[in-house]
């Protein structure tokens, strides 16, 4: 695929996203003319781009969509749910056509063509005429839909073309008859007003019978363009002073066309000519006047060098028209300037950069270690500066991959709309925290889990309207998406104000499926977490949305593959909230290096709260009193079965994850360490408490602790000790169990 096609596809997808977002807003506010214009411009841009790359199947279909949008914009159609649905389906089809182009196929397959033909027929039905001619998006003024306003059955003279012509003195000598031009002009339409201007007629003694001294002020009603009117006077163009002003209805039309012009860099005159408001001859004359004005200032000392002012002074253009053209020019320039500050970079190149930065971090750590061993102050200082620079480069490189989650959230507006209609429910989507940034890889991988959660909330969470009203709730249900940063992680919440999870039903279903045994006592959190078991579902009826129990376990597995965790809080009758906690990045983190025996481990620094020196480790229990607070802890030596005798003075690293604190007992604290995360690989799928590995400056491998799993292990261990009478189910404590 050539580069221009790739750019077209990428930009068209962005335009499609804007178009879809605008259509969803249009349903809520059908009178928003700015939004309608924005939707039209998006479709127009896609059509124009497809024409440039000669992709005719996209151009022709988008052209048909544009027809409907044009009718909508002109008020010929009203916004209805069916119309919005059709346009959204057209957006989907345009996206499929872009896929065809991206696959470098010459044309869509038969199925896609059939779908496009069906959509075309529906578009024609809405337009009211199966053979409706495409709306002319060009610059010609021969638009049959343009009607001249009238009042009381008469003709409004002020809404006519105003033609001011002053014939030169030599017109008659050249064999031209002024009245013949007036008669020719009448062939274009109807002259509704004519005033003969005789102020140039000299005194009788000075009058030359072969000279022409008259002019005309003419009101003409016609659907001809300004260029057509100007061509009437072609034979005397050099011998007359001609000004043509469009009617008021044309003025708004010109302004609208200026707004719709492609966002190309154009000069003021080019904008006015392309929208049809001025002819090239008028612009040329205006530029000539501008050149003259610059060389010879007016008598008052002011230099009127602006082309717009000159055109208005020459009465060839309205002031409003000039202002609209200037605004358009400014918008294009501003957008170009903004785009000039942006550079599109392929994600593969960013990944390669991150990999190289990771290697740089490891090499920097090795150099720093060697410098410290050499005990040369100058070398240590130099490597210290180098380490600081490497850290800055690392942060800058990671920042390149950070994107806002808002685009991902926005996709769910369409999901909520379509699913709520399918389920015959009233549901609104509330989005907050859309500006929250996280790694691009995380954003790409979190889309599917979020889709499962949102669809489950729509299908199972939000009650039918009748039931909501019976429970005293508003008829319209609410699903919320929220994102925020918390302790070096990003938290994404999917919540609803529906009926919440029925714990009794979940427990009964788990008992029926043999997940738990009769007599087992489970906490509320454990019962709720049963919904993440593979194949678990409490829904009696399977729908095409959910109910097969194949979603929630996939949700948890996908989130855990991102080193994240999902938590559920629910209140029966009031709703549920799914909280997803994810790391900000998957590549490089700030770590805290600790040692147990000869092994080194890395704890993500953003989860470390404090470090405590433990002189006399408590025996027989696994918690300690930390300033009046019971802190459960776990010994890495015991957890990983590391042989050897622990030192007399151990250290406890207090970590926090998801609002829970725990202590990790280690032999020694080795300080902060820039950690390049390396995956463990497929050979270690069941390793508990380990989230990855990294390479130290010495070349040795250190394991990165999975803090979420460790906190979970500690919490469950303490819970089992304090509730010995409970017979806990064999619930997995690690994502990969």
């Amino acid at each position: 695929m050539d580069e221009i096609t790739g750019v077209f596809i990428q930009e068209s997808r962005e335009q499609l996203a804007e178009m879809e977002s605008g259509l969803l807003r249009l349903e809520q506010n059908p009178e928003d003319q700015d939004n309608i214009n924005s939707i039209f411009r998006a479709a127009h841009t896609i059509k124009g781009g497809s024409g440039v790359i000669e992709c005719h199947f996209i151009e022709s279909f988008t052209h048909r969509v544009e027809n409907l949008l044009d009718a909508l914009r002109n008020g010929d159609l009203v916004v209805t749910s069916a119309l919005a649905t059709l346009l959204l389906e057209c957006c989907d089809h345009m996206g499929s056509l872009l896929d065809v182009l991206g696959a470098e196929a010459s044309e869509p397959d038969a199925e896609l063509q059939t779908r496009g033909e069906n959509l075309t027929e529906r578009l024609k039905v809405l337009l009211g005429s199966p053979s409706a001619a495409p709306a002319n998006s060009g610059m010609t003024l021969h638009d049959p839909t343009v009607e001249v306003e009238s009042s009381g059955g008469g003709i409004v003279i002020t809404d006519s073309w105003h033609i001011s012509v002053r014939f030169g003195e030599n017109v008659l000598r050249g064999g031209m008859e002024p009245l013949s031009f007036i008669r020719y002009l009448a062939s274009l339409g109807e002259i509704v007003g004519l005033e003969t201007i005789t102020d140039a007629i000299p005194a009788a003694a000075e009058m030359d019978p072969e000279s022409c001294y008259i002019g005309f002020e003419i009101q003409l009603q016609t659907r001809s363009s300004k260029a057509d009117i100007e061509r009437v006077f072609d034979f005397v163009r050099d011998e007359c002073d001609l000004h043509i002003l469009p009617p008021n209805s044309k003025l708004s039309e010109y302004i609208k066309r200026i707004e719709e012009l492609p966002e190309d860099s154009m000069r003021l005159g080019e904008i006015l000519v392309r929208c049809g408001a001025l002819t090239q001859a008028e612009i040329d004359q205006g530029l000539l006047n501008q050149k003259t004005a610059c060389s010879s200032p007016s008598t008052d000392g002011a230099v009127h060098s602006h082309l717009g002012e000159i055109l208005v002074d020459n009465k060839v253009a309205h002031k409003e028209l000039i202002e609209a053209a200037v605004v358009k020019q400014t918008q294009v320039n501003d957008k170009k300037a903004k785009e000039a500050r942006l550079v599109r970079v392929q994600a593969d190149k960013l990944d390669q950069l991150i990999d190289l930065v990771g290697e740089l971090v490891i090499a920097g750590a090795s150099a720093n270690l060697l410098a410290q061993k050499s005990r040369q102050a100058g070398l240590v200082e130099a490597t210290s500066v180098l380490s600081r620079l490497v850290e800055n480069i690392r942060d800058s490189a990671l920042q390149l991959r950070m994107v806002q989650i808002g685009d991902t959230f926005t996709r769910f507006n369409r999901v909520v709309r379509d699913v709520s209609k399918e389920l015959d429910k009233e549901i609104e989507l509330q989005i907050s925290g859309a500006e929250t940034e996280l790694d691009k890889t995380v954003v790409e991988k979190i889309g599917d889990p979020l889709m499962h959660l949102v669809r489950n909330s729509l299908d199972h969470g939000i009650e039918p309207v009748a039931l909501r009203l019976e429970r005293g709730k508003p008829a319209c249900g609410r699903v919320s998406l929220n994102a925020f940063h918390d302790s070096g992680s990003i938290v994404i919440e999917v919540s609803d104000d529906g009926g919440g999870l029925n714990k009794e039903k979940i427990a009964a279903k788990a008992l029926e499926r043999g997940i738990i045994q009769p007599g087992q006592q489970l906490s509320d959190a454990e019962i709720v977490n049963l919904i993440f078991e593979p194949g678990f579902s409490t829904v009696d009826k399977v729908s095409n949305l959910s109910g097969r129990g194949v979603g929630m376990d996939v949700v948890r597995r996908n989130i855990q593959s991102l080193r994240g965790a999902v938590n559920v809080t629910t209140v029966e009758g009031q709703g549920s909230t799914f909280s997803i906690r994810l790391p900000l990045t998957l590549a490089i983190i700030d770590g805290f290096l600790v040692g147990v025996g000869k092994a080194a481990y890395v704890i993500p620094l953003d989860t470390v709260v404090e470090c405590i020196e433990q002189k006399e480790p408590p025996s027989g229990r696994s918690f300690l009193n930390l300033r009046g607070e019971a802190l459960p802890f776990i010994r890495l030596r015991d957890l990983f079965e590391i042989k050897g005798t622990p030192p007399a003075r151990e250290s406890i690293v207090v970590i926090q994850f998801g609002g829970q604190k725990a202590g990790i007992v280690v032999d020694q604290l080795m300080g902060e360490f820039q950690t390049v995360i390396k995956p463990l690989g497929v050979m270690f799928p069941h390793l508990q408490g380990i989230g990855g590995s990294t390479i130290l400056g010495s070349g040795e491998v250190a394991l990165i602790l999975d803090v979420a799993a460790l906190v979970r292990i500690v919490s469950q261990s303490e819970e089992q000790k304090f509730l010995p009478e409970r017979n806990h189910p064999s619930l997995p404590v690690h994502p990969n169990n």
Side-chain angles (χ1 to χ4, degrees), residues 328-347:
K328 178 69 177 181
Q329 193 179 36
T330 304
Q331 289 175 345
V332 171
N333 291 338
D334 290 347
K335 185 174 181 181
K336 295 290 182 184
K338 186 177 180 181
E339 290 178 349
R341 295 195 296 270
L342 299 175
V343 178
R344 291 182 185 274
V345 180
Q346 292 183 353

Side-chain angles (χ1 to χ4, degrees), residues 341-367:
R341 295 195 296 270
L342 299 175
V343 178
R344 291 182 185 274
V345 180
Q346 292 183 353
D348 294 344
K349 293 183 179 179
L350 282 181
D351 292 340
Q352 186 180 11
L353 175 64
I354 296 298
D355 290 341
L356 291 174
V357 170
E359 297 301 323
L360 184 63
V361 168
I362 294 172
S366 177

Side-chain angles (χ1 to χ4, degrees), residues 324-559:
V326 170
V327 169
K328 178 69 177 181
Q329 193 179 36
T330 304
Q331 289 175 345
V332 171
N333 291 338
D334 290 347
K335 185 174 181 181
K336 295 290 182 184
K338 186 177 180 181
E339 290 178 349
R341 295 195 296 270
L342 299 175
V343 178
R344 291 182 185 274
V345 180
Q346 292 183 353
D348 294 344
K349 293 183 179 179
L350 282 181
D351 292 340
Q352 186 180 11
L353 175 64
I354 296 298
D355 290 341
L356 291 174
V357 170
E359 297 301 323
L360 184 63
V361 168
I362 294 172
S366 177
N368 195 33
L369 183 63
L370 292 175
Q372 289 178 354
K373 287 182 178 178
S374 70
R375 299 181 182 275
Q376 297 181 29
L379 184 57
V380 171
E381 184 177 353
T383 54
S384 175
V385 173
L386 184 63
S387 298
R388 189 169 64 252
L389 291 175
V390 168
E391 187 174 345
N392 292 339
I393 292 173
R394 180 206 66 178
D395 293 342
S396 299
L398 291 177
Q399 193 64 33
L400 293 176
R401 294 180 54 89
M402 301 297 280
V403 296
Q404 294 186 346
I405 200 171
D407 291 341
T408 302
F409 279 179
T410 305
R411 289 168 39 196
F412 293 102
N413 283 309
R414 174 75 181 279
V415 176
V416 171
R417 175 196 179 274
D418 292 348
V419 173
S420 61
K421 287 184 180 298
E422 184 177 346
L423 299 174
D424 195 23
K425 296 179 179 178
E426 295 182 30
I427 306 173
E428 63 173 358
L429 177 66
Q430 292 184 351
I431 293 176
S432 55
E435 69 285 353
T436 307
E437 291 187 334
L438 72 166
D439 192 278
K440 182 176 183 296
T441 305
V442 180
V443 171
E444 291 171 349
K445 293 183 178 178
I446 198 62
D448 288 342
L450 282 180
M451 181 67 75
H452 278 294
L453 293 177
V454 170
R455 290 168 73 95
N456 271 326
S457 292
L458 297 173
D459 195 7
H460 304 315
I462 302 297
E463 313 97 320
V465 174
L467 183 56
R468 289 182 65 84
L469 293 176
E470 185 181 328
R471 291 177 174 176
K473 293 181 178 180
C476 183
R478 173 179 48 78
V479 173
S480 303
L481 287 171
N482 183 30
F484 56 91
H485 287 155
D486 180 48
S487 302
S489 301
I490 180 173
V491 179
I492 302 173
E493 293 180 339
V494 181
S495 57
D496 64 71
D497 66 345
L501 297 177
N502 188 330
K503 300 183 184 67
E504 293 181 359
K505 194 172 183 180
I506 293 173
K509 197 72 177 182
L511 187 62
E512 176 186 328
R513 288 176 52 86
I515 299 175
I516 61 175
Q517 300 302 318
Q520 277 189 280
Q521 295 181 9
L522 301 177
S523 66
D524 288 346
E526 289 171 335
I527 294 174
V528 169
N529 282 331
L530 289 172
I531 65 173
F532 292 109
E533 291 298 302
F536 189 88
S537 175
T538 60
V539 180
D540 301 324
K541 182 180 178 182
V542 175
S543 69
N544 58 346
L545 292 174
S546 55
R548 296 185 186 277
V550 295
M552 298 307 290
D553 61 318
V554 176
V555 168
R556 186 175 64 174
R557 191 162 59 247
N558 289 348
I559 292 172

Side-chain angles (χ1 to χ4, degrees), residues 49-324:
S50 60
V52 170
I53 64 168
E54 299 183 349
C55 181
H56 300 300
F57 58 83
I58 293 180
E59 183 183 17
S60 58
F61 182 78
T62 310
H63 189 81
R64 299 181 196 114
V65 176
E66 197 182 56
N67 291 343
L68 187 67
L69 292 172
D70 190 48
L72 192 65
R73 187 182 53 168
N74 294 331
D76 298 335
L77 293 174
V78 295
V79 178
T80 63
S81 178
L83 185 142
T85 301
L86 175 58
L87 287 173
L88 286 169
E89 291 179 19
C90 289
C91 284
D92 294 340
H93 186 69
M94 290 161 67
S96 300
L97 294 179
L98 288 173
D99 293 339
V100 173
L101 179 63
E104 301 187 37
S106 58
E107 60 181 14
D109 57 27
E111 182 182 355
L112 201 57
Q113 282 187 353
T114 303
R115 193 194 310 167
E117 290 168 0
N118 292 336
L119 289 171
T120 301
E121 289 302 316
R122 292 168 62 189
L123 288 170
K124 288 178 179 177
V125 170
L126 275 181
L127 282 170
S129 170
S131 58
N136 197 341
S137 58
M139 293 300 111
T140 177
L141 293 182
H142 292 283
D143 190 341
T145 62
V146 175
E147 299 291 344
V148 178
E149 294 178 2
S150 62
S151 175
I155 300 171
V156 180
I157 295 179
T158 55
D159 200 28
S160 304
W161 289 89
H162 184 98
I163 304 162
S164 177
V165 57
R166 302 290 185 272
F167 291 101
E169 290 186 4
N170 296 323
V171 167
L172 296 176
R173 294 189 186 93
M176 303 295 175
E177 182 188 356
L179 287 179
S180 65
F181 294 99
I182 305 302
R183 286 194 292 271
Y184 184 28
L185 187 66
S187 67
L188 298 182
E190 181 183 1
I191 296 178
V192 295
L194 177 68
E195 180 183 359
T196 304
I197 307 299
T198 59
D199 55 352
I201 297 178
E206 301 174 359
M207 186 179 297
D208 182 351
E210 293 184 354
S211 296
C212 179
Y213 300 106
I214 63 172
F216 298 99
E217 298 289 335
I218 306 165
Q219 304 293 336
L220 173 69
Q221 286 202 345
T222 178
R223 288 174 176 171
S224 300
S225 69
K226 192 173 188 178
D228 292 336
I229 298 173
E230 189 184 61
R231 274 196 290 273
V232 171
F233 301 92
D234 273 354
F235 289 108
V236 290
R237 191 66 187 89
D238 296 333
E239 296 291 337
C240 73
D241 184 15
L242 179 67
H243 302 286
I244 305 171
L245 279 176
N248 290 336
S249 59
K250 288 286 182 185
L251 184 61
S252 60
E253 185 180 342
Y254 286 143
I255 293 175
K256 189 165 69 174
R257 286 176 175 169
I258 288 174
E259 293 172 350
E260 294 168 2
L261 283 175
E263 293 180 336
D264 298 333
S265 297
M266 290 185 290
R267 289 174 290 188
L268 184 67
E270 292 173 329
I271 294 176
L272 295 171
V273 171
R274 288 191 64 174
C275 76
L278 268 69
T279 64
Q280 188 60 46
E282 290 173 329
I283 292 296
D284 293 342
Q285 184 62 42
L287 291 172
L288 183 62
N289 294 344
Q290 183 185 32
K291 187 176 179 180
T292 305
C294 290
S295 59
S296 57
S298 61
T299 54
D300 57 0
V303 178
H304 300 288
S305 58
H306 293 294
L307 179 61
E309 295 175 354
I310 293 173
L311 294 175
V312 173
D313 291 343
N314 290 347
K315 298 181 180 178
V316 296
H318 290 282
K319 185 178 179 182
E320 294 86 348
L321 203 60
I322 300 298
E323 290 175 346

